Amino acid sequence: MANIRTLSRKKHIALVAHDYRKADLLDWVSANKDILAQHTLYATGTTGKMIEEALHLPITKFLSGPLGGDQQIGSLIATGQIDMIIFYWDPMNAQPHDTDVKALLRLSVTWNILLACDRTTADFIITSPYMNSEYQRIMPDYTDYLSRDIHENE
Ligand SMILES: O=C(CO)COP(=O)(O)O
């Protein structure tokens, strides 16, 4: 039987943007401020400071992404404390912490959470009826992986 985790009406949402995409994220957050204000918000350090200063939304800020903030959010995803991430990563510039960026994207998929990396996807998510209701999230089953025979290749 599938393992289900119920997302409450009030979602836990992480907001993250690379420098060249921060203005775009701010624009999207501004356009959806009233909806976002009904949820619990988290962000990497610089992104969070920018949103707080511009829009006065309460937001839990972690370290700046390259200094460990991406990994802090990744850790919350792995422990089921983040339901959704809006991650405006920069497709045109290399990042010094590319491994952390990849890890954050990987964990989002690993745990089947909501992930938007562009405005169109973010718009579809924020207008979904599930934003105002509970949602039964099917948890991926890693039982086989966890019980694998680690000696089989010896
Ligand atoms: O680097 C980031 C995401 O990978 C974002 O970090 P900041 O919000 O601290 O700029």
Side-chain angles (χ1 to χ4, degrees):
M1 204 174 70
N3 183 6
I4 301 290
R5 182 166 294 165
T6 302
L7 301 195
S8 62
R9 203 199 66 75
K10 188 170 184 167
K11 310 287 186 293
H12 295 265
I13 303 173
L15 302 166
V16 183
H18 289 152
D19 286 358
Y20 280 99
R21 301 203 66 202
K22 280 185 170 60
D24 288 343
L25 181 66
L26 187 59
D27 196 47
W28 182 81
V29 172
S30 177
N32 294 287
K33 183 180 171 180
D34 292 347
I35 297 173
L36 289 169
Q38 298 167 33
H39 302 279
T40 307
L41 304 179
Y42 306 82
T44 45
T46 322
T47 303
K49 189 162 172 273
M50 173 190 75
I51 292 169
E52 228 172 34
E53 285 175 2
L55 301 173
H56 308 290
L57 276 173
I59 187 159
T60 299
K61 296 188 297 299
F62 298 109
L63 294 168
S64 181
L67 302 181
D70 285 16
Q71 297 214 22
Q72 287 180 291
I73 291 179
S75 153
L76 292 184
I77 291 170
T79 51
Q81 297 169 77
I82 296 282
D83 305 320
M84 161 177 167
I85 177 166
I86 308 294
F87 188 2
Y88 277 29
W89 59 272
D90 183 349
M92 297 302 283
N93 290 287
Q95 302 294 319
H97 59 308
D98 186 54
T99 44
D100 301 45
V101 173
K102 195 170 175 185
L104 185 49
L105 292 168
R106 183 181 166 277
L107 284 172
S108 302
V109 175
T110 301
W111 291 107
N112 187 27
I113 69 157
L114 287 150
L115 166 66
C117 300
D118 55 43
R119 185 161 188 148
T120 304
T121 310
D123 281 344
F124 271 66
I125 289 175
I126 203 83
T127 54
S128 162
Y130 289 126
M131 286 301 296
N132 281 318
S133 65
E134 290 189 345
Y135 175 79
Q136 310 294 322
R137 175 159 68 106
I138 297 176
M139 298 301 288
D141 182 0
Y142 294 115
T143 311
D144 286 350
Y145 168 75
L146 290 170
S147 57
R148 72 197 181 285
D149 183 358
I150 55 172
H151 300 297
E152 72 183 8
N153 293 324
E154 280 179 3

